[in-house]
Amino acid sequence: MSTSFQCPHCPRNFSTWNAYSQHVNRCINTVYLSTEESSEDISDIVSSINEMSLDDEDFKENSQVFYQYESNQDYAGDIFFGEISHSNNIPEEYKNFDEILLASLQSNEEPVSHSSNIPEEYENFDEILPASLQSNEEPEVENIKEFPNEAYADLMALVIENNLNNKTGNAIIKFFNKHLDLSQLSPLPKNIETGRKFMDKMNISQLSYSKYCVLTHNSLDYFVHYRPIKNYILKNLMFRYENSKIEDEKSYGEQNSGNWWKRVERSISNHANILSIILYSDATTTDTLGKSSLYVSLHPIYVSLGNIPTWRRNKENAKQLLGYFPILSAKNEKEKKSSEFKELARETFHNSIKFLLDPLFQGDGVDFNIDDKDIWFFPRISTIICDWPEACTFSLTYKSANSNYPCHFCLVQREDLIDIRKEVILCNHVNIKEYFNSNTSNLAGLEQVNNYFWSIPNLNIYAATVPDRMHHLDLGIQLSRLTASEYRDMMKIMVFMVDDLQIENLSEVYVKWNEMYLLSRSEKFKESDLENFQKAINDWGDLFIKLFQNISNSHLKFLKLHSWIYYIVDTIREYGAINGYTTETYESLHKTYVKIPYRLSNKKEVEKQIMENVNKKQ
């Protein structure tokens, strides 16, 4: 049976005598300041408490412990601490301490620290004390909307924006107070932990986040951690379809110049606008040792808007962390490899997506106030930016390149991947649902799981998961072990290596690759440019296949090669230039929203701590 010691001057409970004794030293000083008692009285009280033993009758009277056992049938050994009455031996002037404490909590001013006589190793005792031993009362929700002063706000901004730990922040506070001689009237918090707790209590919409239990599996609850889309990204937007032309030719640049925008705009009210939603998702690890189950993985999802011009959208602050998907854990390797577990993981992913996005598609559009004007929008998902395995998760196609129908764009058989002139059947919601409804999804390389995106208007999920230039070209058609930066460095010297190799057409295929790559980075494409681009792709593809097909173990049956040759030009016509939907500018988000905040956490309830850290930073 555990024991709890209650402070005779405040509602705090402690499970160890050492913690109790150190707290009382500080608490009495606070009472002394509030009631203007003499130092002799304080010394006497501190001395008497320090001299108490656990068996002392006075101590027992001052720290009565009540145990209340849960009496229902589901009792599992939990102990609840009842309300502890204050001892009658407490001096009269201290009995109104709860009132004094309440008044001090309602003040926005930081309490003045008077703990110089406490040993230095105990000054941050509340930080050292494990959370499980501190009071388990929930903090009172306060309607705080601003910092106590500008210096306080600037300090916390400095700490959060530069990812400083508490120790560094506390050193800044001590330096500031020492050299400005403000130890008694400092505008700064007592320590950084106090500042962080103050921010947690602030009632600001930008700091809010929530979690939702989407699944219970193996007695574990799995949550989607999320936050609402903020209005601050709704600036400098493009609203209407733009029929851009260059030299009397239709041109494609921004997303609102593509055919998708034109079609969707015709399907909604003439008085409404499209809110083009771009999603980016990619599971990542919190270390650099790979996506092994031995390491902690997180699965963030980000959102941006196609209404934002490409040059602006490619900046980090034009994208927002929407939340973290739950990652299921298997009991053992057998369960992990079972088809039931894989199906459950797919269902959980789509149920999480449904929970996050459903509010956008309920009702007759949404209204946003932009520049003091209410503007009517119909939210629509335009593109989903991701690597190939993630695209398979969204489209619910088999991830294996060895499946009979490995492409999520079309129903091409694996044996025909190398044929770049063959006609193919494009995937859409109609023909794919036929397989699902007849319970024959496996015949087309599809998961027998209901796809949430089938219910989203104006969306073909199989075309919206666009080819990504970085994963197709910058990382190579098959060289997945290199980073994009390493691959670019390799290509800078490749021409000199190729020139010395006496292999016919090797230099030429390298030149053709560069021509194709340079065209892919164009900011605008005329129809004639797209024809030239497709020709450059085909010329490179033909020569590449001719040179390497016979020496490739798979005979160049590469999914990326197939999808790039077949679909990149059509994707430009649908959604604009490639620069608007590449993962190049999204990959760096993992550092900001996963790796750095993970290192700042205590590795417990990671998603909760990361969301708090990210929200404070923004």
Side-chain angles (χ1 to χ4, degrees):
M1 182 182 299
S2 60
T3 305
S4 175
F5 311 123
Q6 183 181 15
C7 175
H9 312 299
C10 73
R12 292 289 299 274
N13 293 324
F14 298 90
S15 62
T16 65
W17 166 250
N18 187 37
Y20 168 80
S21 175
Q22 294 300 328
H23 170 78
V24 169
N25 283 339
R26 301 173 62 188
C27 196
I28 292 178
N29 281 327
T30 305
V31 175
Y32 168 67
L33 291 173
S34 302
T35 59
E36 299 182 0
E37 281 294 322
S38 67
S39 60
E40 289 94 357
D41 293 337
I42 294 293
S43 300
D44 292 341
I45 297 174
V46 172
S47 177
S48 63
I49 291 179
N50 285 333
E51 292 172 359
M52 283 185 187
S53 66
L54 294 180
D55 298 325
D56 194 300
E57 292 299 326
D58 291 336
F59 172 75
K60 291 179 180 179
E61 188 175 2
N62 281 331
S63 57
Q64 299 177 48
V65 181
F66 294 85
Y67 301 99
Q68 178 182 345
Y69 290 89
E70 194 171 17
S71 59
N72 61 38
Q73 297 178 353
D74 299 325
Y75 169 66
D78 296 327
I79 298 176
F80 297 91
F81 294 97
E83 182 178 357
I84 304 173
S85 62
H86 292 288
S87 170
N88 293 329
N89 291 337
I90 298 176
E92 185 69 27
E93 57 269 31
Y94 297 142
K95 291 187 176 180
N96 63 343
F97 180 76
D98 288 344
E99 300 175 11
I100 299 171
L101 179 63
L102 181 59
S104 64
L105 290 176
Q106 292 173 347
S107 172
N108 285 338
E109 296 180 2
E110 284 294 311
V112 181
S113 173
H114 290 266
S115 56
S116 59
N117 60 337
I118 299 175
E120 183 177 354
E121 61 268 27
Y122 297 125
E123 286 187 331
N124 295 324
F125 187 80
D126 287 342
E127 296 177 29
I128 301 171
L129 187 66
S132 61
L133 299 182
Q134 296 184 23
S135 173
N136 50 15
E137 294 182 1
E138 290 296 325
E140 183 179 351
V141 177
E142 301 185 34
N143 190 25
I144 305 173
K145 295 189 176 181
E146 60 182 17
F147 288 96
N149 53 70
E150 187 176 356
Y152 197 124
D154 289 345
L155 172 68
M156 295 311 300
L158 176 70
V159 170
I160 299 300
E161 291 174 6
N162 294 278
N163 301 305
L164 303 181
N165 57 29
N166 290 354
K167 183 177 180 180
T168 304
N170 292 340
I172 294 174
I173 294 175
K174 290 181 179 179
F175 178 87
F176 182 87
N177 292 340
K178 175 181 177 181
H179 291 280
L180 292 181
D181 194 22
L182 295 175
S183 58
Q184 302 300 321
L185 299 173
S186 175
L188 303 179
K190 177 183 176 182
N191 51 50
I192 296 302
E193 182 67 19
T194 300
R196 294 186 193 275
K197 291 179 179 178
F198 184 88
M199 291 185 68
D200 291 339
K201 295 181 180 179
M202 295 180 72
N203 185 17
I204 300 177
S205 59
Q206 283 84 349
L207 298 179
S208 62
Y209 77 96
S210 303
K211 66 177 183 179
Y212 170 76
C213 183
V214 72
L215 174 71
T216 299
H217 177 64
N218 289 337
S219 301
L220 292 176
D221 292 332
Y222 291 90
F223 294 91
V224 181
H225 292 76
Y226 68 99
R227 58 182 185 166
I229 296 177
K230 300 176 186 174
N231 289 340
Y232 79 85
I233 61 175
L234 300 178
K235 297 179 180 179
N236 305 318
L237 303 186
M238 303 173 296
F239 297 103
R240 312 301 295 184
Y241 168 73
E242 183 178 342
N243 187 22
S244 303
K245 290 188 177 182
I246 300 176
E247 299 175 355
D248 293 329
E249 286 188 68
K250 168 63 179 170
S251 68
Y252 306 91
E254 298 291 349
Q255 192 182 96
N256 68 332
S257 65
N259 294 331
W260 174 85
W261 198 294
K262 181 180 180 180
R263 277 197 315 275
V264 176
E265 194 171 88
R266 288 177 176 175
S267 70
I268 63 175
S269 170
N270 292 332
H271 303 289
N273 301 279
I274 298 170
L275 188 68
S276 170
I277 298 172
I278 299 174
L279 300 176
Y280 168 72
S281 174
D282 187 21
T284 185
T285 55
T286 54
D287 52 63
T288 59
L289 300 178
K291 297 178 180 179
S292 167
S293 60
L294 298 176
Y295 306 106
V296 177
S297 296
L298 294 174
H299 196 165
I301 181 170
Y302 307 91
V303 63
S304 189
L305 298 179
N307 305 69
I308 303 174
T310 299
W311 68 267
R312 181 70 183 84
R313 190 168 71 246
N314 283 338
K315 297 182 182 297
E316 183 176 307
N317 59 5
K319 309 171 182 70
Q320 180 186 322
L321 174 69
L322 185 56
Y324 295 94
F325 293 131
I327 298 178
L328 269 61
S329 298
K331 291 187 297 185
N332 48 50
E333 196 65 22
K334 181 180 179 181
E335 183 187 40
K336 184 177 180 180
K337 293 181 178 180
S338 66
S339 58
E340 292 81 7
F341 182 80
K342 293 179 180 179
E343 182 174 314
L344 181 63
R346 304 289 184 273
E347 289 178 348
T348 302
F349 179 87
H350 278 255
N351 288 338
S352 301
I353 284 279
K354 173 180 172 62
F355 172 77
L356 292 176
L357 300 182
D358 257 0
L360 293 175
F361 303 104
Q362 296 174 354
D364 194 20
V366 296
D367 291 325
F368 286 112
N369 187 275
I370 302 175
D371 296 330
D372 297 325
K373 295 180 181 178
D374 288 332
I375 301 180
W376 185 19
F377 287 99
F378 278 91
R380 294 292 184 266
I381 297 174
S382 56
T383 57
I384 297 173
I385 305 173
C386 52
D387 58 19
W388 193 275
E390 199 80 11
C392 293
T393 302
F394 279 95
S395 58
L396 287 175
T397 56
Y398 288 170
K399 293 184 178 181
S400 174
N402 296 321
S403 64
N404 291 332
Y405 294 89
C407 180
H408 64 80
F409 288 101
C410 64
L411 294 173
V412 61
Q413 290 187 316
R414 182 176 182 274
E415 296 301 319
D416 296 327
L417 284 176
I418 196 63
D419 189 348
I420 63 175
R421 299 291 187 275
K422 184 180 180 64
E423 291 188 9
V424 295
I425 300 174
L426 297 178
C427 292
N428 56 56
H429 294 182
V430 175
N431 58 12
I432 297 302
K433 286 180 73 173
E434 290 179 357
Y435 286 99
F436 177 79
N437 293 333
S438 62
N439 202 29
T440 57
S441 298
N442 61 315
L443 298 180
L446 305 169
E447 304 282 358
Q448 189 62 32
V449 176
N450 184 64
N451 195 314
Y452 165 70
F453 295 100
W454 290 341
S455 64
I456 302 299
N458 305 114
L459 173 68
N460 179 2
I461 185 60
Y462 308 101
T465 44
V466 293
D468 173 46
R469 180 177 59 209
M470 191 188 83
H471 285 90
H472 282 65
L473 298 186
D474 290 338
L475 294 178
I477 296 297
Q478 192 65 15
L479 294 174
S480 59
R481 294 294 181 182
L482 300 177
T483 66
S485 177
E486 291 169 341
Y487 190 81
R488 293 191 188 107
D489 290 339
M490 184 182 73
M491 296 307 295
K492 292 175 184 177
I493 62 172
M494 185 66 72
V495 64
F496 304 106
M497 298 172 56
V498 168
D499 190 50
D500 288 337
L501 297 175
Q502 302 301 316
I503 302 177
E504 185 181 2
N505 295 326
L506 190 57
S507 296
E508 185 179 356
V509 76
Y510 176 76
V511 171
K512 289 183 179 297
W513 185 93
N514 279 281
E515 290 176 352
M516 174 190 67
Y517 184 81
L518 290 173
L519 287 173
S520 75
R521 301 197 73 91
S522 300
E523 295 183 357
K524 291 185 178 181
F525 292 86
K526 299 181 294 185
E527 277 293 345
S528 58
D529 294 332
L530 291 179
E531 293 174 4
N532 293 333
F533 186 33
Q534 186 67 66
K535 183 178 183 304
I537 293 173
N538 292 340
D539 290 346
W540 166 78
D542 288 335
L543 190 55
F544 180 79
I545 293 170
K546 176 183 176 182
L547 287 176
F548 298 108
Q549 181 177 9
N550 293 331
I551 62 176
S552 167
N553 292 332
S554 66
H555 299 287
L556 295 184
K557 296 172 183 176
F558 297 156
L559 285 168
K560 293 180 182 179
L561 177 64
H562 165 79
S563 65
W564 182 260
I565 292 174
Y566 267 85
Y567 303 113
I568 192 61
V569 171
D570 288 340
T571 301
I572 294 172
R573 290 191 175 100
E574 282 291 296
Y575 304 108
I578 301 172
N579 294 345
Y581 43 87
T582 174
T583 59
E584 291 174 24
T585 61
Y586 285 85
E587 289 288 325
S588 62
L589 296 177
H590 290 327
K591 182 177 181 181
T592 303
Y593 293 109
V594 177
K595 299 184 183 298
I596 291 178
Y598 176 80
R599 289 199 298 268
L600 293 174
S601 73
N602 64 5
K603 314 305 182 289
K604 298 177 181 178
E605 295 185 291
V606 173
E607 291 91 344
K608 176 179 181 292
Q609 292 187 58
I610 289 180
M611 292 294 282
E612 290 177 350
N613 184 285
V614 169
N615 287 343
K616 291 172 184 175
K617 193 167 185 177
Q618 294 187 345

